[in-house]
Amino acid sequence: MGNTKNINLIGIGLGNPDLLTKAAISAIERSAVIIGAKRIIESVKEDFPNKKYFTEYNTEKIIEIIRENIDNETAVVFSGDISLFSGSLKLFDKLKALVEDEKDFKDCNINTFPGISSLSYLCAKSNTDISKVKILSFHGKEELLYHNIDSNEYTFIITSKAEGVKEICRKLISFGFFELDIILGENLSYDNERITIGTASDLLGMDISDLNCMIISNPDADKSIGFGLSDEVFARDKVPITKSEVRAIIMSKLDIHPDSICYDIGAGSGSVTIEMSRLAYEGKVYAIEKNPLAVELIKKNIHNFSAENIELIHAKAPEGLDNILEADKIFIGGSGGELISIMEMIFTSKKNHTIVISAITMETISQLTDIVKIAKQKGYDTEITAVNVSKSKEVGPYNMMMAQNMVFIGVIKM
């Protein structure tokens, strides 16, 4: 059997044994023990008889099987490629630690063998440039769909069974993506393989296999993400809005990352909330607002911008701040007189967070000054900026500059 200290992590491709690489075939032939999930084991068992097979996908249990058979060369087989949404990644790290720390695994060699992934297979079959593809998985997890579709020419998705495809199609329709081409691959590499190109509506009327993946094509994808949206794009009514120029400064001070956890406290009509959600497109935004009318406007704006990553909480802070200690970007635009108590709660967080506070009234400005002093004592970097914006307005044949309210912006940063 060759070197009995080999542990081989093998990507077998999509399931058809004809797609196994020569290196993978050789490694399986050398191995006395084969471990893998049921479908994967069944795909190789016929071609590689006289092996000791174990049906298992749990990482810890796989390690125990390897330990019990440590004197035999072992192959752990995975579907697709071991580098794409594969349990191999976690197993490799665990095995590497065992080789370094445990006597039983001393001198074991961890070998890796790539396979053909559903991504590379479907891209090749549909003549899609894989370098332009954004990769998502809805298999047992949630992803933010709108931003990825809107900002990428191609989006590849591993779905969760047939219903997963239809749920994605319903979302695309709700987002207004009626005409986008979807390449649906079913049972790839098997005799009953089917590749279909159609719209979301077309796919909703189909019977779809549970073994599937898809590529959504958006030739009009807009890859740019900016902030400082025009005030006119928001549903506003009689609820105050943070004006676009001031909002742009606030967003620049917050310096939001794609995976940021954000809070907009006193969210008003939700203009800052929406800007946050566009920048934290892989993160989460909590919008706290006490005014029922404002809450309804935020709901409209969430719908209008298809902002999936916003959780709206109808409460008066500090109520509704259950996840505040996990946040790294916090904006306080309205505190209802609770600014000090809110900040006391935030200061207990161990996150390296950035807090931006806007103040218009003299009372809030006074509180802001006190908070900045406390923050300095706690080791934060602080600054206060006064913003005075004037915009032109036509008066007869002339243009007059009309001043907006002066806004003080406090920044507290760890």
Side-chain angles (χ1 to χ4, degrees), residues 7-12 28 31-45 51-59 61-63 65-66 69 74-80 82 86-88 91:
I7 302 172
N8 304 310
L9 309 184
I10 302 172
I12 68 158
I28 295 174
S31 300
V33 176
I34 314 293
I35 309 168
K38 182 179 179 181
R39 182 174 71 86
I40 314 306
I41 290 293
E42 289 175 352
S43 71
V44 300
K45 202 169 187 178
K51 306 288 184 181
K52 192 175 182 181
Y53 283 95
F54 293 89
T55 301
E56 186 56 67
Y57 62 87
N58 178 275
T59 300
K61 291 180 180 179
I62 289 173
I63 289 172
I65 294 169
I66 295 172
N69 294 273
T74 299
V76 187
V77 289
F78 300 88
S79 64
I82 57 174
S86 176
S88 171
L91 179 60

Side-chain angles (χ1 to χ4, degrees), residues 209-332:
S209 167
D210 284 339
L211 191 58
N212 66 71
C213 58
M214 61 201 302
I215 296 173
I216 301 171
S217 173
N218 182 9
D220 299 320
D222 180 7
K223 294 181 181 296
S224 63
I225 303 173
F227 53 81
L229 293 169
S230 169
D231 297 340
E232 285 67 36
V233 300
F234 297 101
R236 296 168 59 186
D237 204 347
K238 297 178 181 179
V239 175
I241 187 173
T242 303
K243 298 296 191 295
S244 62
E245 295 82 6
V246 174
R247 196 181 332 117
I249 295 171
I250 290 167
M251 301 310 295
S252 70
K253 298 295 185 183
L254 283 167
D255 188 26
I256 293 172
H257 303 155
D259 61 349
S260 286
I261 306 298
C262 307
Y263 261 85
D264 182 6
I265 301 172
S269 57
S271 62
V272 171
T273 300
I274 294 298
E275 301 261 27
M276 283 177 158
S277 76
R278 285 160 54 86
L279 294 174
Y281 54 83
E282 294 178 351
K284 180 82 173 181
V285 179
Y286 296 92
I288 311 296
E289 178 53 52
K290 64 178 182 177
N291 183 342
L293 175 59
V295 167
E296 293 305 311
L297 286 173
I298 296 171
K299 288 180 182 178
K300 288 182 181 179
N301 283 316
I302 290 173
H303 173 76
N304 292 345
F305 284 88
S306 300
E308 304 168 273
N309 57 340
I310 296 173
E311 181 175 330
L312 174 58
I313 301 171
H314 185 183
K316 178 183 177 182
E319 293 180 9
L321 303 183
D322 296 347
N323 297 293
I324 194 72
L325 299 186
E326 298 301 316
D328 59 315
K329 308 293 179 180
I330 302 165
F331 173 62
I332 305 175

Side-chain angles (χ1 to χ4, degrees), residues 266-397:
S269 57
S271 62
V272 171
T273 300
I274 294 298
E275 301 261 27
M276 283 177 158
S277 76
R278 285 160 54 86
L279 294 174
Y281 54 83
E282 294 178 351
K284 180 82 173 181
V285 179
Y286 296 92
I288 311 296
E289 178 53 52
K290 64 178 182 177
N291 183 342
L293 175 59
V295 167
E296 293 305 311
L297 286 173
I298 296 171
K299 288 180 182 178
K300 288 182 181 179
N301 283 316
I302 290 173
H303 173 76
N304 292 345
F305 284 88
S306 300
E308 304 168 273
N309 57 340
I310 296 173
E311 181 175 330
L312 174 58
I313 301 171
H314 185 183
K316 178 183 177 182
E319 293 180 9
L321 303 183
D322 296 347
N323 297 293
I324 194 72
L325 299 186
E326 298 301 316
D328 59 315
K329 308 293 179 180
I330 302 165
F331 173 62
I332 305 175
S335 60
E338 300 292 339
L339 185 56
I340 299 294
S341 60
I342 292 170
M343 288 303 303
E344 286 176 349
M345 183 182 296
I346 293 170
F347 281 145
T348 65
S349 173
K350 295 180 181 179
K351 285 273 186 178
N352 290 326
H353 44 231
T354 301
I355 308 130
V356 175
I357 305 168
S358 68
I360 297 175
T361 68
M362 296 303 296
E363 289 77 12
T364 307
I365 294 167
S366 176
Q367 284 186 316
L368 176 59
T369 303
D370 292 338
I371 287 167
V372 165
K373 289 178 181 177
I374 296 169
K376 283 183 177 178
Q377 293 171 0
K378 292 180 177 290
Y380 287 83
D381 294 326
T382 64
E383 68 174 36
I384 297 177
T385 303
V387 180
N388 195 348
V389 177
S390 296
K391 299 183 75 170
S392 64
K393 179 180 179 180
E394 290 186 3
V395 180

